[in-house]
Amino acid sequence: MGSVEEKSKPEGIVNGAHTNLLEEMKLLKEFQDQSGIRKAINSELWYACAGPLVSLPQVGSLVYYFPQGHSEQVAVSTKRSATSQIPNYPNLPSQLLCQVHNVTLHADKDTDEIYAQMSLQPVNSERDVFPIPDFGLKPSKHPMPRRAAEKLFPPLDFSMQPPSQELVVRDLHDNTWTFRHIYRGQPKRHLLTTGWSLFVGSKRLKAGDSVLFIRNEKSQLMVGVRRANRQQTTLPSSVLSADSMHIGVLAAAAHAAGNRSPFTIFYNPRACPSDFVIPLIKFRKAVFGTQVSAGMRFGMMFETEESGKRRYMGTIVGVSDLDPLRWPGSKWRNLQVEWDEPGCSDRQNRVSSWEIETPESLFIFPSLTSGLKRPLQSGFLGDTEWGSLVKKPLAWLPGSGNANLPYASMSNIYSEQLVNMLMKPQAVNYPGICGTALPEVSAVKVASSDVTNVQAAVNHTSHLNQSGIMSVENQNYSQICLDQSNAMNSSSSKERVAGKSLYLSKVENSSASWNY
Amino acid sequence: MGSVEEKSKPEGIVNGAHTNLLEEMKLLKEFQDQSGIRKAINSELWYACAGPLVSLPQVGSLVYYFPQGHSEQVAVSTKRSATSQIPNYPNLPSQLLCQVHNVTLHADKDTDEIYAQMSLQPVNSERDVFPIPDFGLKPSKHPMPRRAAEKLFPPLDFSMQPPSQELVVRDLHDNTWTFRHIYRGQPKRHLLTTGWSLFVGSKRLKAGDSVLFIRNEKSQLMVGVRRANRQQTTLPSSVLSADSMHIGVLAAAAHAAGNRSPFTIFYNPRACPSDFVIPLIKFRKAVFGTQVSAGMRFGMMFETEESGKRRYMGTIVGVSDLDPLRWPGSKWRNLQVEWDEPGCSDRQNRVSSWEIETPESLFIFPSLTSGLKRPLQSGFLGDTEWGSLVKKPLAWLPGSGNANLPYASMSNIYSEQLVNMLMKPQAVNYPGICGTALPEVSAVKVASSDVTNVQAAVNHTSHLNQSGIMSVENQNYSQICLDQSNAMNSSSSKERVAGKSLYLSKVENSSASWNY
DNA sequence: CTGTCGGCACAGTGCCGACAA
DNA sequence: TTGTCGGCACTGTGCCGACAG
């Protein structure tokens, strides 16, 4: 009985110490489990879950950190804006030049909601940066689009009746999930049945959320979730007031700015209204490279409900401070805009200059546009408005526009090291213009909502061309999007509608279907 | 078709403004719903849910606020202690004298987890206080114990076969819940069946949690929940780092201390290891009224697993700073203690002097002890150790003890207003000594855990005298405590054990039973 | 190609008295 | 007095092909 174990046990005190060590290791593991740092998170899947517009700065690069934007992330999550009880931090500028020290990818332990942790080091000027030692950590691996297309799921054995197989997939925490994949029905279709609803329930997915499949470097199937747009869960605050959270954000930055000491932030792309850590090059290009003024036309990319990208057009109607008292002179959302389309009123009516595309921004990097395969792919006005802009940029330059430094001139006054860092970011995202943008989410088709059986369709990218979303070939992940229509609506006819809390349980009971 | 509505509508712009107003009111209502402030929360029920040891300071009274304790509440909830990235706030003392401006009771919208919001105004000295205007708000109504006992539930009509009725109860948010109350079985017993599991599931109750019933001033039945000891849910932090939360707490207090401006805190009694807002009188009595030193014996009240109160005895083994670097000289948990009983090692080994009872603390208010009906009610050592202390306090006074000011002397040097405020708090809690303490939770009996049917017993206070918990008459609320034993353990024999995630669903499916 | 329906099997839940500790 | 069991009814879920748009 357990002799081997007995023999390996040291005696007395040492044994006790050993027990304590084990206990500590257990606690450490728990800690790591909770923080999601025990295993390196698959970055490709992380980006896929983050959505098509999200990019993270490169370690070592220079960025501007915007406390206002960070505060907005808190405001959205707590559904409370900053109040008058929040102190001013006169020594905290509206934009803080920082060097990125560390970027780690995380996901909520339960729901797989993704977020990133960044350590930022305030610097006085570009000269203060120092080489970031390579700790042996691989730089976060980035999705490499344009990989060869392939069927994501293993092919079925069609000699079976019906053809079926078990799909074993891993989530961001390396938990395995098993889905039954079967080809049946009339007409024949592919379905995910057994195991699917357990997954949907466990991740607390709601109608409108998306499920992504991807293959990792070992060719293992992985699965992630992408919450529907801005439908974030409010974080319960029975312990900490929203004010305290706002203050925590601002005070941390203020303290770090004063001491030039690093500080840590969480960035939750799906919750955050706008990115608040902006690569220096992107900021400079927008702020110094472009002259914006009232009346100017612009375009801006948004994620569509189908999780694709779409450009919306608008007009700048004013330039003014968002918060003249607390943040005078801030560049954060200092552009007042009007959107061309009605129904955009719920969209923000203030944007920052680095979020938008203007005729000038296209002119600054003319070479980039030439390498773009589909520069006019999914824009609202498509060839008509933007096309003419790109082809005749000079006609759109305001008289004073050229007085500002375009990037090519600016680079002369900075060190080579800085220029390298500025150019280094892998995923500086110039939506719709730059070829280095993240892969498009192209495959979205929504399936039926059944009172008892919400079915969501999976479509492989290369086979879909509908809903106004451009088909992009060579994409390496698939996506399932749960139907957003209220299941209650379609439940009118049948008596299978049984009663209370039906909607919730319905969403959780679902299968996925698609067809090649 | 809608003519009345048409007529009442103003025209054009005014109409639009009206719509906006309605929209704003809707937003306001949402805001209030989320914050739980729309309806005043029944304070009696709130305190019942908070547990037997919790008290809140009176509006207008003076308190000491302890940043360290507040930080501990955050640490427990995030399961992260403060790190080195958290700045020092040299201008923030370890204890901040404040006047209480506002106290509001809250409960989590979903789970009914209770918490309080307080607005604290730092003051330089006792002379700085000013009369708090009475805003027409009733001071938070406090549970008045010693009310006449009565059957909490309406009597059943025993001419029915079986006798049954519907109980309609309201929770803290004024939502109504309906439970079927039936008297059946062999032998006969009272049961709550239909509706019970819905309630348990909605409030996300787990085995070990308690359900409380109470009658409000309109004699309506009300229901609340009390989570098991320190089994708090970790608040997910995908948006805000734990560091930011700690900083938010400290920076808010530091800013308020510097400006003498009010700041807002949340106090979550069930999550918080120790109260961090201490009435001035309680603090003075402990710090100046008692000489503590190594070797001294003390008692301290804890909430038992059955949600009663129990005194644990221990010995002070040292007096030292908990955090010598960050908070030198702090009184917060500056007493190192050892507990008499083994198994208390998981209990804190550091306490603050105002948490404990010493022989001197009994001597300061000797008159209070005489009014206590059961001074030795549930103490561990009961009559033996404590009894002799109370009767012979002088024998325990250290030589230097009398050199410190007892309260009676101190009052001479303060204004009458101050003395009034000091005396005013309704619920300054001197566990086991003071007659104004909150009512004891006396009725706890735990019921069976069934694989398919967790049954929890309700026992009326006046009828229970078991489990080593003293029976207290004239209590006005009842309590159900879900069984803490793991349902999985007892599921070994039967095939009704069906598989995955059984435990959770089992806990949600339960009824309550009891007997007079 | 995909959304919805009716049908059907069955697992899980909920309610019940019996019974024993 | 109360914890647990077997029994039983029934609801809700999950899987299926049919079919229509």
Side-chain angles (χ1 to χ4, degrees):
Chain A
M1 37 172 279
S3 62
V4 173
E5 196 179 352
E6 284 296 333
K7 277 175 191 166
S8 68
K9 271 190 183 173
E11 64 205 33
I13 289 177
V14 182
N15 194 6
H18 190 167
T19 308
N20 284 342
L21 186 62
L22 284 177
E23 186 64 21
E24 280 182 27
M25 288 179 65
K26 189 183 151 200
L27 286 175
L28 178 64
K29 183 174 174 304
E30 270 180 24
F31 173 88
Q32 291 172 328
D33 283 346
Q34 284 151 19
S35 59
I37 60 175
R38 192 157 57 96
K39 289 233 176 199
I41 281 196
N42 182 295
S43 65
E44 201 166 0
L45 182 54
W46 190 96
Y47 276 100
C49 295
L53 297 177
V54 170
S55 63
L56 294 178
Q58 173 84 348
V59 170
S61 70
L62 285 176
V63 296
Y64 270 117
Y65 163 81
F66 289 86
Q68 286 170 281
H70 198 180
S71 199
E72 277 184 12
Q73 174 173 284
V74 173
V76 165
S77 302
T78 60
K79 296 185 180 168
R80 299 275 191 295
S81 294
T83 70
S84 59
Q85 274 204 359
I86 293 174
N88 270 314
Y89 287 94
N91 296 326
L92 178 63
S94 63
Q95 57 193 55
L96 190 58
L97 187 66
C98 296
Q99 190 180 18
V100 179
H101 271 211
N102 199 14
V103 178
T104 51
L105 308 181
H106 298 264
D108 182 272
K109 191 190 171 191
D110 292 327
T111 66
D112 282 15
E113 181 187 7
I114 55 101
Y115 61 101
Q117 176 178 325
M118 303 186 217
S119 177
L120 303 181
Q121 163 94 55
V123 294
N124 278 317
S125 75
E126 295 82 358
R127 302 182 190 284
D128 282 359
V129 302
F130 57 91
I132 296 287
D134 186 344
F135 294 106
L137 296 171
K138 281 183 293 188
S140 63
K141 195 180 159 238
H142 214 267
M144 298 298 295
R146 326 288 175 212
R147 231 201 268 160
E150 56 183 28
K151 295 280 181 292
L152 215 63
F153 296 157
L156 283 173
D157 175 5
F158 284 95
S159 65
M160 299 170 69
Q161 272 314 319
S164 71
Q165 65 181 336
E166 281 204 335
L167 296 177
V168 179
V169 299
R170 291 173 178 276
D171 65 17
L172 282 162
H173 307 289
D174 222 30
N175 302 317
T176 62
W177 300 85
T178 305
F179 303 134
R180 179 170 161 83
H181 171 199
I182 190 169
Y183 186 69
R184 61 164 176 81
Q186 192 51 252
K188 290 281 184 281
R189 77 194 73 181
H190 293 269
L191 290 156
L192 295 185
T193 59
T194 309
W196 176 252
S197 65
L198 188 64
F199 176 81
V200 169
S202 297
K203 302 303 185 191
R204 287 181 225 151
L205 297 180
K206 300 281 182 301
D209 296 341
S210 297
V211 179
L212 311 176
F213 290 94
I214 204 171
R215 278 191 187 275
N216 66 8
E217 67 285 349
K218 295 182 212 156
S219 193
Q220 291 173 318
L221 269 179
M222 307 202 67
V223 66
V225 302
R226 187 193 291 171
R227 288 354 247 193
N229 261 338
R230 301 285 124 66
Q231 159 254 312
Q232 285 302 311
T233 57
T234 307
L235 63 93
S237 63
S238 69
V239 161
L240 200 63
S241 72
D243 278 356
S244 289
M245 298 191 193
H246 281 283
I247 292 170
V249 159
L250 300 179
H255 176 260
N259 293 37
R260 307 285 148 194
S261 61
F263 64 111
T264 299
I265 62 168
F266 282 5
Y267 168 52
N268 186 317
R270 305 300 298 172
C272 196
S274 293
D275 193 2
F276 53 88
V277 177
I278 308 298
L280 183 57
I281 184 176
K282 186 175 178 179
F283 175 86
R284 288 234 162 96
K285 179 166 167 290
V287 173
F288 302 119
T290 309
Q291 176 77 4
V292 294
S293 57
M296 185 179 285
R297 302 279 302 152
F298 72 96
M300 183 167 161
M301 298 302 278
F302 287 92
E303 190 175 323
T304 64
E305 285 200 355
E306 296 84 7
S307 298
K309 270 157 64 168
R310 203 200 121 167
R311 178 183 293 110
Y312 286 80
M313 304 298 295
T315 309
I316 294 169
V317 297
V319 183
S320 66
D321 285 348
L322 170 62
D323 184 343
L325 293 178
R326 200 178 281 267
W327 302 103
S330 170
K331 296 281 191 296
W332 181 262
R333 293 197 195 282
N334 67 337
L335 306 183
Q336 297 166 270
V337 300
E338 275 178 6
W339 300 96
D340 289 357
E341 295 170 74
C344 293
S345 58
D346 53 338
R347 215 177 305 282
Q348 47 210 347
N349 59 0
R350 279 184 167 274
V351 300
S352 308
S353 55
W354 51 87
E355 296 182 290
I356 62 172
E357 307 157 308
T358 61
E360 288 190 10
S361 71
L362 294 179
F363 177 63
I364 307 287
F365 285 124
S367 64
L368 283 180
T369 57
S370 64
L372 188 63
K373 287 172 185 169
R374 292 179 186 82
L376 313 170
Q377 37 182 304
S378 61
F380 170 57
L381 293 176
D383 292 45
T384 57
E385 184 164 7
W386 263 143
S388 61
L389 300 191
V390 175
K391 286 166 192 160
K392 295 176 286 186
L394 285 175
W396 278 78
L397 289 177
S400 62
N402 285 330
N404 293 307
L405 293 173
Y407 174 71
S409 311
M410 278 163 50
S411 67
N412 297 335
I413 61 173
Y414 298 118
S415 70
E416 187 181 287
Q417 182 195 12
L418 172 62
V419 173
N420 283 339
M421 285 199 306
L422 289 173
M423 296 305 292
K424 209 172 169 187
Q426 297 171 312
V428 176
N429 198 3
Y430 300 106
I433 322 178
C434 179
T436 61
L438 296 177
E440 306 246 341
V441 174
S442 61
V444 179
K445 188 56 195 89
V446 177
S448 63
S449 75
D450 186 303
V451 188
T452 61
N453 197 6
V454 175
Q455 293 197 326
V458 188
N459 293 277
H460 280 280
T461 306
S462 51
H463 292 251
L464 184 72
N465 203 333
Q466 60 185 20
S467 301
I469 303 170
M470 201 197 64
S471 166
V472 176
E473 294 186 359
N474 296 337
Q475 173 162 329
N476 62 341
Y477 63 91
S478 297
Q479 175 174 348
I480 298 180
C481 182
L482 302 188
D483 191 351
Q484 290 210 33
S485 68
N486 189 333
M488 279 310 205
N489 292 341
S490 58
S491 70
S492 50
S493 58
K494 283 302 140 189
E495 58 191 352
R496 291 187 84 158
V497 182
K500 47 228 165 187
S501 79
L502 183 62
Y503 177 62
L504 268 183
S505 59
K506 287 314 156 199
V507 174
E508 292 185 0
N509 297 292
S510 53
S511 59
S513 79
W514 72 97
N515 222 315
Y516 296 118
Chain B
M1 35 175 280
S3 61
V4 174
E5 197 178 351
E6 284 294 334
K7 278 174 190 166
S8 69
K9 272 188 184 174
E11 65 206 30
I13 290 178
V14 182
N15 194 8
H18 191 167
T19 307
N20 283 343
L21 186 62
L22 284 177
E23 186 64 20
E24 280 182 28
M25 287 180 66
K26 188 181 152 203
L27 287 174
L28 178 64
K29 183 175 175 305
E30 271 179 25
F31 173 89
Q32 290 172 330
D33 282 347
Q34 283 150 19
S35 58
I37 59 176
R38 192 157 58 96
K39 289 233 176 198
I41 281 196
N42 182 293
S43 65
E44 201 166 359
L45 182 53
W46 191 95
Y47 276 99
C49 294
L53 296 177
V54 171
S55 63
L56 294 177
Q58 172 86 347
V59 170
S61 70
L62 286 176
V63 296
Y64 269 118
Y65 164 82
F66 289 86
Q68 286 170 281
H70 198 180
S71 200
E72 277 184 12
Q73 175 173 281
V74 173
V76 165
S77 302
T78 60
K79 295 185 181 168
R80 299 276 190 292
S81 294
T83 70
S84 58
Q85 273 205 2
I86 293 175
N88 269 314
Y89 288 93
N91 296 327
L92 179 63
S94 63
Q95 57 193 56
L96 190 58
L97 186 66
C98 296
Q99 189 180 17
V100 178
H101 270 212
N102 200 13
V103 178
T104 51
L105 308 180
H106 298 264
D108 182 272
K109 191 188 170 192
D110 293 327
T111 66
D112 282 13
E113 180 187 7
I114 54 100
Y115 62 100
Q117 177 178 324
M118 302 187 217
S119 177
L120 302 182
Q121 164 93 56
V123 293
N124 277 318
S125 75
E126 295 82 357
R127 301 182 191 284
D128 282 359
V129 303
F130 56 90
I132 295 287
D134 185 345
F135 294 108
L137 297 171
K138 281 184 293 187
S140 64
K141 194 179 161 240
H142 214 268
M144 298 299 293
R146 328 287 175 212
R147 229 201 269 160
E150 54 184 30
K151 295 281 180 292
L152 214 63
F153 296 157
L156 283 173
D157 175 5
F158 283 93
S159 65
M160 300 169 67
Q161 272 314 319
S164 70
Q165 65 180 337
E166 280 205 335
L167 296 177
V168 179
V169 299
R170 291 173 177 276
D171 65 17
L172 282 163
H173 307 289
D174 221 31
N175 302 317
T176 62
W177 300 85
T178 304
F179 303 134
R180 179 170 163 83
H181 172 199
I182 190 169
Y183 185 69
R184 61 163 176 81
Q186 191 52 252
K188 291 279 184 282
R189 78 197 72 182
H190 292 269
L191 290 156
L192 295 185
T193 58
T194 310
W196 175 251
S197 65
L198 188 64
F199 176 81
V200 170
S202 297
K203 302 303 185 192
R204 287 180 225 152
L205 298 181
K206 301 279 183 300
D209 296 341
S210 297
V211 180
L212 310 177
F213 290 94
I214 205 171
R215 279 193 186 274
N216 66 9
E217 67 285 350
K218 294 183 215 156
S219 193
Q220 292 173 317
L221 269 179
M222 305 202 68
V223 65
V225 301
R226 188 194 290 172
R227 312 257 25 129
N229 261 340
R230 301 284 124 67
Q231 159 254 312
Q232 285 303 310
T233 57
T234 307
L235 65 92
S237 63
S238 69
V239 161
L240 200 63
S241 72
D243 278 356
S244 288
M245 299 191 195
H246 281 283
I247 292 169
V249 159
L250 300 179
H255 176 261
N259 293 37
R260 308 284 149 195
S261 60
F263 65 111
T264 299
I265 61 167
F266 282 6
Y267 168 51
N268 186 318
R270 305 299 298 170
C272 196
S274 292
D275 193 1
F276 53 86
V277 177
I278 309 298
L280 182 58
I281 185 177
K282 186 175 179 180
F283 176 85
R284 288 234 162 97
K285 180 166 167 288
V287 173
F288 301 120
T290 309
Q291 177 77 4
V292 294
S293 57
M296 185 178 286
R297 302 279 300 151
F298 71 97
M300 183 166 161
M301 299 302 278
F302 286 93
E303 191 176 324
T304 63
E305 286 200 354
E306 296 84 7
S307 299
K309 270 157 66 170
R310 202 197 123 171
R311 178 182 294 111
Y312 285 80
M313 304 297 296
T315 308
I316 295 169
V317 297
V319 182
S320 66
D321 286 348
L322 171 62
D323 184 344
L325 293 178
R326 199 178 282 267
W327 303 103
S330 170
K331 298 279 189 298
W332 182 261
R333 293 196 196 283
N334 68 336
L335 306 183
Q336 298 166 270
V337 301
E338 275 178 4
W339 300 95
D340 289 358
E341 294 169 76
C344 294
S345 59
D346 53 337
R347 216 175 306 279
Q348 46 210 349
N349 60 358
R350 278 184 168 273
V351 300
S352 307
S353 53
W354 51 87
E355 296 181 291
I356 62 172
E357 307 156 309
T358 61
E360 289 190 12
S361 70
L362 294 180
F363 177 63
I364 306 287
F365 285 125
S367 63
L368 284 179
T369 57
S370 64
L372 189 62
K373 288 173 187 168
R374 293 180 188 81
L376 314 170
Q377 38 184 306
S378 61
F380 170 56
L381 293 176
D383 294 46
T384 58
E385 185 164 4
W386 263 142
S388 61
L389 299 189
V390 175
K391 286 167 193 157
K392 296 176 286 186
L394 285 176
W396 278 79
L397 288 178
S400 60
N402 285 329
N404 292 306
L405 292 174
Y407 173 73
S409 311
M410 279 164 49
S411 67
N412 297 333
I413 61 174
Y414 299 117
S415 70
E416 184 180 287
Q417 182 194 12
L418 172 61
V419 174
N420 283 340
M421 284 198 306
L422 288 173
M423 297 304 292
K424 207 171 170 189
Q426 298 171 314
V428 176
N429 199 3
Y430 301 106
I433 321 179
C434 179
T436 62
L438 297 177
E440 305 247 340
V441 174
S442 62
V444 180
K445 188 52 197 92
V446 177
S448 64
S449 76
D450 184 303
V451 189
T452 62
N453 198 5
V454 174
Q455 295 196 326
V458 188
N459 293 277
H460 279 280
T461 304
S462 51
H463 292 252
L464 185 72
N465 204 334
Q466 59 183 22
S467 300
I469 303 169
M470 202 197 62
S471 166
V472 176
E473 294 185 358
N474 297 335
Q475 173 162 331
N476 63 340
Y477 64 92
S478 297
Q479 176 173 348
I480 298 180
C481 182
L482 302 186
D483 191 351
Q484 291 211 36
S485 69
N486 189 333
M488 279 312 204
N489 292 342
S490 57
S491 70
S492 50
S493 58
K494 284 302 142 190
E495 59 190 350
R496 290 187 85 158
V497 182
K500 48 229 168 185
S501 79
L502 183 62
Y503 177 62
L504 267 184
S505 60
K506 285 317 154 200
V507 174
E508 291 185 0
N509 297 292
S510 53
S511 59
S513 78
W514 72 98
N515 222 316
Y516 296 119

